[in-house]
Amino acid sequence: MPMGGLLPMFNSPPGGGLGSGLGGGGGGSIGGLGIRKVAGPGAFRLTEKFVLLLVFSAFITLCFGAIFFLPDSSKLLSGVFFHSNSALQTASDHKQGLGLGGIGVGGKGETEGEGERAAADNLAKIREDHERALREAKETLQKLPEEIQKDILQEKEQVLQNELLNKGNAGGLPHLDFRPPIGAIGREPTDPEIRLKRAKIKEMMKHAWDNYKHYAWGLNELKPISKKGHSSSLFGNIQGATIVDALDTLYIMEMKEEFKEAKEWIEKYLDFNVNAEISVFEVNIRFVGGLLSAYYLTGEEIFRRKAVELGEKLLPAFHTPSGIPWALLNLKSGIGRNWPWASGGSSILAEFGTLHLEFVHLSHLSGNPVFAEKVFGIRNVLNSLDKPQGLYPNYLNPSSGQWGQHHVSVGGLGDSFYEYLLKAWLMSDKTDLEAKKMYFAAVQAIETHLIRKSSGGLTYIAEWKGGLLEHKMGHLTCFAGGMFALGAACASPELTQHHIELGAEIARTCYESYNRTAMKLGPEAFRFDGGVEAIATRQSEKYYILRPEVVETYMYMWRLTHDPKYRKWAWEAVEALEKHCRVDGGYSGLRDVYLKQETYDDVQQSFFLAETLKYLYLLFSDDDLLPLEHWIFNTEAHLLPVLRKGGQELEENHK
């Protein structure tokens, strides 16, 4: 029914009506609504104006009431007014791609079926949003008041972070004056024999890289026997792990063409906008670490930009009641969880404790303090807890902020936490006194409760389970020899030599774990019980997956002592790798190092290029290549500069 039939005072004067007044752009409209003033005898009386005002007030109230009181109304409105257009536009784009440009949208050839499907999609979206809003409301009502308050605080924090990140994205990253890094390219060794050995390791890198490029380019890793790509669930749908992991190794080996093609792939194809669950730890040490290292070597902005972008995507992992991050994170939804096997939903010490170096550098390069704040928050939680016998258990519940099962290991589940305490102190130009204190207190507890000597005189690091020792040492634990030696100079004077000797003893034990196998490559774990020493006794511990920890310790011991036995031991490892792990399609791990005949696992791990070959190359290089006083290696061997107190960490101060 026409409005005029109901309200006589709305009858239009000649020459214009309400419709033309609302739709026209003429001057003198009321409140911008386009209702024209009428002069002369036909003008509205005061009472008519009052009724008109009431009607429009009711109309506006009705509209705004719908907006503010319908459940999740903003999402409903976006679904009604915007979703259909975007859906139709997507359909149009798809048609354009098929060469159907003549079929458009919005009255330009759209079929009736497409319109019905769009309407059905809209209704489904509205229903879904409505149901989700009801679920969220129900869940909120079931929470305790303190939990609701905590959720509110987290939401506020997230809003603030997003504002900071959006501000940074809008204005770009802060300008940094890049100076050539110290010791990124070293001299050729003067000793001809050492020069030949270093050249051989570079050739190994080329063999591994060329086969990855030929058979698995753009994928995460290579299956060198099958000659195809391999991808672990650790990376979700992110691709290119070997490319990013190998960047700094390619650079320091002066493999310029290979580095260039890796950079070009990253510019075009490295994508973190994936709907997939990833390991926060693995993605951080390999992808974030690799990109940061490449930036510090070259100053190329693509590496800094990608590193910060990925760092931002990892931040939701910290949205836990304690601030201890989840182990697993969906990069699209921001939903995190822990490994289901990890002591009642606990986070793992080696995972949440191995973010510090990279996140401090992310703050340094982005100008956003949130990254550093997150990892210092982890430290605050750890310092608030009692440590059993001064030891750090491997499990910490992110909801309660309390320890899980009291299992302590300097190998798997715990290893790199201790490494990062020492390296945080060194990377800070020795200003992070808290890290130094935590490191040396932890080492003292490890010496007291975990380090033992076998009847044959081999020093090893056992595992501690609720007060009982398991006399097992993992290949991963072998990094500790290099760590003890690296930290020796920071120890009190009476302990400096002791820590060097401790590092040397661990290096010898790990060498023996290699030397006592048929293939001269070490098992995943070895034991000191039942009359055996440095030998794997269980089939599940006899494999070797191209791990770097033993040659990592050799490298540090060589740099800090220049004892020639470390180069000798390292070369024996090179010969064993060439004899038993090299295949036509690259390098493969082994299922049993005690057999005389190889049984391959058919995986060329990305860390073989990032760590194993890099540490071997450094072993046969002069000390001017990546000098330890200027560079820190993350746990994936990606190099990060010491952050000098004067901000000159990248300055080339030698001729």
Side-chain angles (χ1 to χ4, degrees):
M1 182 180 293
M3 188 180 294
L6 290 175
L7 298 173
M9 75 283 290
F10 275 58
N11 288 337
S12 303
L18 180 63
S20 61
L22 289 172
S29 64
I30 297 176
L33 294 174
I35 299 172
R36 297 189 294 184
K37 297 179 183 178
V38 183
F44 289 153
R45 294 188 299 274
L46 182 60
T47 55
E48 293 173 338
K49 292 180 179 179
F50 180 73
V51 172
L52 179 64
L53 182 60
L54 286 177
V55 170
F56 274 92
S57 297
F59 178 75
I60 292 170
T61 301
L62 179 62
C63 291
F64 279 87
I67 292 173
F68 287 109
F69 294 107
L70 280 175
D72 207 9
S73 55
S74 61
K75 295 178 182 177
L76 293 178
L77 289 173
S78 65
V80 172
F81 293 114
F82 303 113
H83 177 74
S84 59
N85 288 339
S86 63
L88 293 175
Q89 184 60 49
T90 302
S92 175
D93 292 343
H94 180 63
K95 292 169 187 173
Q96 295 286 348
L98 295 174
L100 304 176
I103 303 178
V105 297
K108 297 180 181 179
E110 181 187 48
T111 66
E112 183 178 351
E114 288 174 331
E116 291 176 353
R117 284 195 297 273
D121 289 344
N122 291 339
L123 290 174
K125 179 69 167 57
I126 291 171
R127 187 178 299 109
E128 179 186 343
D129 288 341
H130 192 184
E131 291 173 353
R132 183 171 65 252
L134 290 175
R135 286 196 305 272
E136 291 172 354
K138 183 177 179 181
E139 290 170 1
T140 300
L141 290 173
Q142 292 174 344
K143 291 183 178 180
L144 296 173
E146 53 268 27
E147 292 178 328
I148 296 174
Q149 181 67 22
K150 191 174 291 184
D151 289 345
I152 292 171
L153 291 175
Q154 285 187 354
E155 288 295 331
K156 287 182 177 179
E157 178 191 14
Q158 182 61 34
V159 170
L160 178 60
Q161 288 177 15
N162 290 339
E163 288 178 353
L164 287 170
L165 297 177
N166 290 335
K167 182 179 178 181
N169 290 337
L173 294 172
H175 174 74
L176 291 178
D177 290 325
F178 181 81
R179 297 181 176 90
I182 298 172
I185 301 295
R187 298 186 298 265
E188 280 284 327
T190 54
D191 184 325
E193 182 182 356
I194 298 301
R195 191 161 58 245
L196 286 174
K197 288 179 177 178
R198 190 174 90 148
K200 173 59 183 175
I201 295 162
K202 181 176 178 177
E203 185 277 330
M204 293 170 69
M205 178 69 179
K206 183 165 180 57
H207 180 68
W209 177 264
D210 285 350
N211 278 284
Y212 166 76
K213 180 184 174 183
H214 186 68
Y215 297 113
W217 184 245
L219 302 177
N220 279 322
E221 291 168 317
L222 167 68
K223 294 175 75 69
I225 305 296
S226 306
K227 295 183 179 179
K228 61 183 181 180
H230 168 74
S231 187
S232 165
S233 61
L234 297 172
F235 313 121
N237 292 341
I238 300 176
Q239 295 297 326
T242 293
I243 295 174
V244 178
D245 235 1
L247 279 171
D248 50 10
T249 306
L250 294 171
Y251 190 89
I252 66 171
M253 289 185 180
E254 300 184 70
M255 298 173 67
K256 296 179 181 179
E257 283 303 312
E258 291 84 353
F259 183 87
K260 179 182 176 183
E261 61 194 7
K263 177 194 166 189
E264 289 174 350
W265 184 90
I266 288 170
E267 288 178 320
K268 294 179 182 178
Y269 302 112
L270 184 59
D271 182 18
F272 306 128
N273 296 310
V274 295
N275 183 13
E277 191 175 62
I278 54 91
S279 163
V280 174
F281 163 74
E282 294 288 352
V283 167
N284 174 64
I285 65 172
R286 302 198 204 199
F287 284 89
V288 176
L291 292 165
L292 289 173
S293 181
Y295 171 74
Y296 281 120
L297 287 171
T298 67
E300 296 280 358
E301 281 296 315
I302 180 62
F303 301 129
R304 178 166 71 133
R305 194 164 65 248
K306 287 288 186 181
V308 174
E309 177 192 348
L310 180 53
E312 291 171 358
K313 288 186 173 294
L314 296 180
L315 286 175
F318 291 85
H319 293 164
T320 66
S322 65
I324 298 296
W326 300 112
L328 303 169
L329 179 72
N330 185 295
L331 290 183
K332 182 175 182 180
S333 68
I335 296 173
R337 67 181 179 100
N338 278 332
W339 300 105
W341 48 263
S343 186
S346 290
S347 299
I348 296 170
L349 182 68
E351 296 192 338
F352 67 77
T354 311
L355 303 169
H356 192 98
L357 304 184
E358 297 83 1
F359 273 54
V360 167
H361 271 283
L362 286 173
S363 280
H364 177 68
L365 293 183
S366 69
N368 188 346
V370 68
F371 300 106
E373 289 169 358
K374 293 300 184 186
V375 290
F376 278 104
I378 292 173
R379 218 189 263 176
N380 291 339
V381 173
L382 293 174
N383 283 330
S384 71
L385 295 171
D386 291 330
K387 287 82 178 172
Q389 306 296 322
L391 298 167
Y392 289 84
N394 291 337
Y395 301 108
L396 181 58
N397 190 292
S399 297
S400 66
Q402 299 298 314
W403 297 118
Q405 178 185 1
H406 282 193
H407 173 210
V408 178
S409 169
V410 183
L413 306 180
D415 49 6
S416 45
F417 163 71
Y418 305 98
E419 173 190 358
Y420 270 39
L421 289 178
L422 172 63
K423 291 180 177 179
W425 153 251
L426 296 173
M427 193 181 76
S428 71
D429 202 15
K430 300 180 180 178
T431 61
D432 188 352
L433 297 175
E434 182 180 56
K436 178 184 179 183
K437 179 181 178 181
M438 293 173 70
Y439 169 73
F440 283 106
V443 169
Q444 183 178 349
I446 289 167
E447 276 209 79
T448 302
H449 300 289
L450 303 183
I451 293 183
R452 296 290 183 267
K453 185 163 287 193
S454 71
S455 58
L458 295 178
T459 300
Y460 63 96
I461 308 176
E463 298 189 7
W464 189 83
K465 295 185 176 180
L468 299 176
L469 283 184
E470 183 179 12
H471 297 274
K472 177 187 78 170
M473 185 171 172
H475 193 293
L476 289 166
T477 319
C478 286
F479 88 96
M483 179 183 73
F484 292 143
L486 182 63
C490 307
S492 55
E494 66 273 14
L495 291 176
T496 297
Q497 187 58 33
H498 170 66
H499 280 207
I500 286 284
E501 291 171 358
L502 184 58
E505 290 174 14
I506 296 296
R508 181 189 167 211
T509 298
C510 293
Y511 168 74
E512 288 298 330
S513 77
Y514 274 50
N515 196 44
R516 298 180 186 193
T517 70
M519 296 185 178
K520 304 303 178 186
L521 292 167
E524 181 69 6
F526 43 95
R527 294 179 179 266
F528 298 85
D529 54 16
V532 303
E533 294 187 348
I535 293 175
T537 59
R538 302 181 184 182
Q539 188 60 42
S540 60
E541 298 171 348
K542 293 181 179 181
Y543 62 89
Y544 171 70
I545 57 172
L546 309 174
R547 286 203 187 277
E549 289 78 20
V550 173
V551 295
E552 175 184 357
T553 278
Y554 294 167
M555 188 278 291
Y556 281 112
M557 295 307 302
W558 164 255
R559 283 283 181 99
L560 296 166
T561 69
H562 289 120
D563 187 328
K565 71 183 176 187
Y566 298 113
R567 278 183 165 173
K568 174 180 177 294
W569 292 351
W571 190 248
E572 289 177 12
V574 169
E575 291 176 324
L577 283 166
E578 286 295 278
K579 182 177 180 180
H580 299 293
C581 296
R582 183 168 180 146
V583 295
D584 288 344
Y587 289 86
S588 173
L590 302 166
R591 297 188 185 279
D592 191 332
V593 293
Y594 295 93
L595 299 178
K596 292 183 179 180
Q597 183 64 39
E598 297 87 0
T599 53
Y600 298 112
D601 69 6
D602 196 16
V603 180
Q604 179 177 283
Q605 305 279 349
S606 75
F607 55 67
F608 179 66
L609 293 80
E611 300 183 75
T612 310
L613 293 178
K614 183 187 285 117
Y615 286 132
L616 287 169
Y617 189 78
L618 292 172
L619 263 159
F620 295 97
S621 299
D622 291 345
D623 293 358
D624 66 332
L625 178 59
L626 305 179
L628 297 182
E629 63 267 29
H630 294 289
W631 294 98
I632 299 298
F633 294 93
N634 87 338
T635 200
E636 190 78 4
H638 294 309
L639 47 120
L640 301 168
V642 172
L643 294 171
R644 300 295 179 196
K645 284 174 278 192
Q648 301 300 312
E649 67 279 354
L650 297 177
E651 184 175 3
E652 180 74 76
N653 59 4
H654 66 288
K655 295 181 181 179

